[in-house]
Amino acid sequence: MVPPPADWRPTPPPLPSPGVLLGSAFRILGRHWLRLLGALLLSQLAIFVLAGMTWFGIYALRGGQDPEGAASPDYVTDMLLIVLVPALLAIFLVQGAVGSLASTLAQQDANGQRVTVRGLLRVSAPRIPGTVGGYLLTIFLFPCMLSPLAPLLAWPWVVYSLAPSVMARDGVGMFRALGRSAALIKGVWWPAFSTLALAALIAFGIDLTVGFLPLDSMVNRAGNEPTGPPDASLSLGIIIAAVSVAFSVLMFQVAFAHLVADRLCEALRARHTT
């Protein structure tokens, strides 16, 4: 048997095509959509309660509304603290919760575990702070998105997209996950970017679809219905249905993007191991 040359290295397997990775993400959603939706709704409820408590706490600490009104500089400061802080808290916690739930769902599905709402929430909860930390780093990159430096953000965007899955599968913190994500895409940056970009385009298409739905007109029409027991019940049902459809579709498109990133991360890990 002839020994291989001294500089010989095994050829890493090619990455699956974007269609295969997207199809795998859709299959995971199809199998577990009801449990994922339940976990999403419960996590959003907890986040909104926390944001509301934060709002109330800041409002109480600031002494309520300034009696001098908008003419006072303190009034502007109060409104920024009372409104902006809870809103940012809710936005980033929602992103972190969705990313953690999606990566946990993909991990449990790949391991053949029984997926339950309680199990998703229990495993995902400790990972939310690290996932939120990854999104917080994007704040410092946001000004560059409106400048000629925008194309340079593609590389950190790919790294951030893979970080939640690395944290879930390797049990590491945010910064180590970012470093491992950067190592995984070394040499295959373009295939990884094209797959995530395609998933982002699909998510954007879902956003456009929701935008074309007549949800606003349904809610307005329901709110202008004459009062009365039958009409009031119908109006409330229409409002709940419209808000639920918009919320569910938007949350699923975010979860879908994370699932695609997780499928890509698993393929990159297999290639890196080889």
Side-chain angles (χ1 to χ4, degrees):
M1 181 176 180
V2 180
D7 59 347
W8 178 86
R9 292 182 180 180
T11 302
L15 288 177
S17 65
V20 172
L21 296 174
L22 267 64
S24 177
F26 274 122
R27 284 192 294 272
I28 294 176
L29 277 179
R31 285 194 294 266
H32 307 293
W33 70 269
L34 185 58
R35 289 173 285 275
L36 178 60
L37 179 60
L40 285 173
L41 291 173
L42 289 176
S43 62
Q44 306 316 310
L45 178 60
I47 289 170
F48 289 138
V49 169
L50 178 61
M53 293 173 61
T54 303
W55 175 89
F56 181 79
I58 297 175
Y59 184 83
L61 289 175
R62 299 295 295 182
Q65 187 176 3
D66 193 334
E68 298 182 14
S72 172
D74 292 338
Y75 179 82
V76 178
T77 303
D78 290 346
M79 290 301 99
L80 286 176
L81 290 175
I82 294 172
V83 177
L84 188 61
V85 172
L88 290 177
L89 179 67
I91 290 173
F92 281 101
L93 284 179
V94 165
Q95 292 288 343
V98 175
S100 300
L101 285 169
S103 59
T104 300
L105 173 63
Q107 182 184 18
Q108 293 183 351
D109 181 82
N111 295 337
Q113 297 177 245
R114 183 171 177 266
V115 178
T116 62
V117 174
R118 181 179 179 182
L120 286 175
L121 293 173
R122 178 177 56 82
V123 178
S124 300
R127 299 170 178 169
I128 292 178
T131 307
V132 171
Y135 286 109
L136 285 174
L137 293 178
T138 61
I139 291 179
F140 302 101
L141 299 175
F142 181 76
C144 299
M145 297 176 65
L146 306 177
S147 70
L149 299 176
L152 300 179
L153 297 181
W155 184 86
W157 173 65
V158 173
V159 172
Y160 293 142
S161 299
L162 298 176
S165 295
V166 174
M167 284 189 288
R169 295 181 178 277
D170 295 351
V172 297
M174 174 189 60
F175 291 105
R176 293 186 65 185
L178 293 173
R180 294 189 183 186
S181 299
L184 288 176
I185 64 174
K186 187 177 181 180
V188 288
W189 182 89
W190 179 250
F193 170 75
S194 59
T195 300
L196 293 175
L198 182 57
L201 286 176
I202 294 176
F204 180 69
I206 296 175
D207 280 337
L208 291 180
T209 302
V210 175
F212 281 113
L213 292 176
L215 300 179
D216 291 339
S217 61
M218 291 171 61
V219 173
N220 293 333
R221 190 182 305 116
N224 294 328
E225 288 288 339
T227 57
D231 296 332
S233 302
L234 178 61
S235 300
L236 181 60
I238 292 175
I239 293 175
I240 293 176
V243 174
S244 300
V245 168
F247 174 82
S248 301
V249 173
L250 292 178
M251 285 297 97
F252 269 109
Q253 60 100 357
V254 176
F256 168 74
H258 283 290
L259 286 174
V260 173
D262 183 88
R263 299 292 82 203
L264 175 62
C265 180
E266 185 64 18
L268 289 172
R269 282 164 55 89
R271 182 182 185 278
H272 189 74
T273 302
T274 304

